[in-house]
Amino acid sequence: MLYDIRLHLSYDYDAAAGGSRHQVRVLPQTIAGVQRVVAASLSFVPTPSERTDFADFFGNNVTAIAFRDVHDGLDIRMSARVSVSRPEPDLDVSPDLQRLREELGAVRSLAPDAPHHFLTASDHAGIDAAITAYAKGSADGSTVGTATDLCNRIHRDFTYDGEATTVHTRASDAFRLKRGVCQDFSHIMIAGLRGLGIPAGYVSGFLRTIPPKGKPRLEGADAMHAWVKVWCGRDAGWQEFDPTNGMRASNDHITVGYGRDYSDVAPIVGVLKTTGGQVGDQAVDVIPVALEKV
């Protein structure tokens, strides 16, 4: 699949900011065998006093910006053309959980994609006894089988509710509520798998949404999405699951970044020299190029 992606983030401040610094993670990345960025651009209004583009530890594209002049808001626009071609899932060659622990012990790497980084508690996805107990209901058979069952159970047992949580909600809180959004369901799945000894990480990106039959797609109707990557052993490697939709990641999933949880790949983080609050808005369009009119 070939997509044109447009993202618009806007922030209006209650009072003018005398200065600010931010790190922005919204640019898709090229991933061998999965997706290729054909072209991409990222712009800001006002124009930053400083701008630096780099890759962080996990290989995510980061743009660091700073403003020295007074400004009363920030407008961010990203556009990209991305080709996605995920391989079809192979036969399940993943080990059971006992064998997985043995294979983990044989991994001596601390490279960014090493499973050891994704095995212990993190800020949004702590090891929680209640979540671990819930995840044990899926722990029967292979690692892929465990992850698949847990993914499907979260999709079935939890209610999607955009008003129930915030970006600061931890997995344990969302689990007690039994409701939330893609970020929460991903954190719950990550926490549950880690509680079983299975390395799991957070994936930030975009998801193409398909309008109802006979209805036009709506401008800005898509949103940034989150799902889960799971280390399924030496031979199966990393596999990706979407608990919000109860499915494997597909060619409709476009990856921006990987991390231990949301805090590693938040679209924007930073500090402002100001008073009062701010109002933010987000709009995303994920457009299959093949469907565009010439």
Side-chain angles (χ1 to χ4, degrees):
M1 292 295 297
L2 186 64
Y3 296 104
D4 279 343
I5 304 167
R6 296 193 295 264
L7 167 69
H8 180 206
L9 299 174
S10 62
Y11 299 90
D12 292 318
Y13 309 146
D14 288 345
S20 64
R21 288 186 176 273
H22 309 276
Q23 287 192 351
V24 180
R25 290 174 171 84
V26 296
L27 283 168
Q29 56 178 287
T30 293
I31 305 166
V34 176
Q35 72 180 34
R36 179 174 63 92
V37 177
V38 179
S41 66
L42 181 61
S43 63
F44 305 92
V45 176
T47 301
S49 305
E50 303 173 16
R51 172 173 175 166
T52 305
D53 296 278
F54 63 95
D56 65 15
F57 175 76
F58 293 113
N60 306 317
N61 294 316
V62 186
T63 300
I65 56 175
F67 299 92
R68 290 191 291 269
D69 298 329
V70 174
H71 55 293
D72 57 10
L74 176 60
D75 194 85
I76 303 171
R77 293 182 183 270
M78 186 280 293
S79 62
R81 175 163 287 189
V82 183
S83 174
V84 183
S85 182
R86 292 180 182 271
E88 291 293 327
D90 294 326
L91 293 174
D92 183 0
V93 295
S94 64
D96 61 24
L97 300 194
Q98 177 57 44
R99 179 61 183 167
L100 180 75
R101 295 185 184 96
E102 296 172 5
E103 293 187 7
L104 268 170
V107 176
R108 294 292 184 263
S109 171
L110 287 178
D113 63 346
H116 303 299
H117 299 300
F118 305 92
L119 189 57
T120 58
S122 58
D123 185 36
H124 284 76
I127 305 299
D128 180 275
I131 299 178
T132 300
Y134 176 79
K136 284 180 180 178
S138 296
D140 183 19
S142 69
T143 304
V144 166
T146 297
T148 300
D149 190 68
L150 182 58
C151 173
N152 293 336
R153 287 173 61 213
I154 291 172
H155 173 65
R156 183 189 67 225
D157 296 344
F158 290 74
T159 301
Y160 191 94
D161 183 349
E163 303 298 322
T165 58
T166 72
V167 295
H168 305 293
T169 301
R170 270 43 177 187
S172 55
D173 298 320
F175 182 78
R176 284 191 289 271
L177 290 171
K178 294 295 186 289
R179 57 203 314 114
V181 295
C182 59
Q183 173 182 314
D184 304 300
F185 302 152
S186 295
H187 284 149
I188 290 168
M189 184 172 175
I190 291 167
L193 291 173
R194 290 177 182 172
L196 298 177
I198 301 174
Y202 188 95
V203 190
S204 171
F206 303 101
L207 175 65
R208 178 177 70 130
T209 55
I210 302 173
K213 188 175 181 179
K215 300 289 185 180
R217 66 178 307 281
L218 301 176
E219 291 293 321
D222 300 300
M224 292 201 74
H225 192 53
W227 59 99
V228 179
K229 70 171 190 172
V230 183
W231 194 73
C232 296
R234 178 188 57 220
D235 296 323
W238 289 101
Q239 306 282 330
E240 297 185 10
F241 300 82
D242 182 350
T244 305
N245 295 292
M247 63 185 293
R248 291 285 194 102
S250 69
N251 285 342
D252 290 333
H253 293 74
I254 303 106
T255 300
V256 168
Y258 297 108
R260 293 161 296 182
D261 61 29
Y262 171 82
S263 59
D264 283 336
V265 289
I268 181 170
V269 294
V271 293
L272 297 171
K273 185 179 179 182
T274 186
T275 59
Q278 60 179 309
V279 176
D281 192 25
Q282 177 188 137
V284 176
D285 288 306
V286 179
I287 305 168
V289 173
L291 298 182
E292 289 186 329
K293 294 182 179 180
V294 179

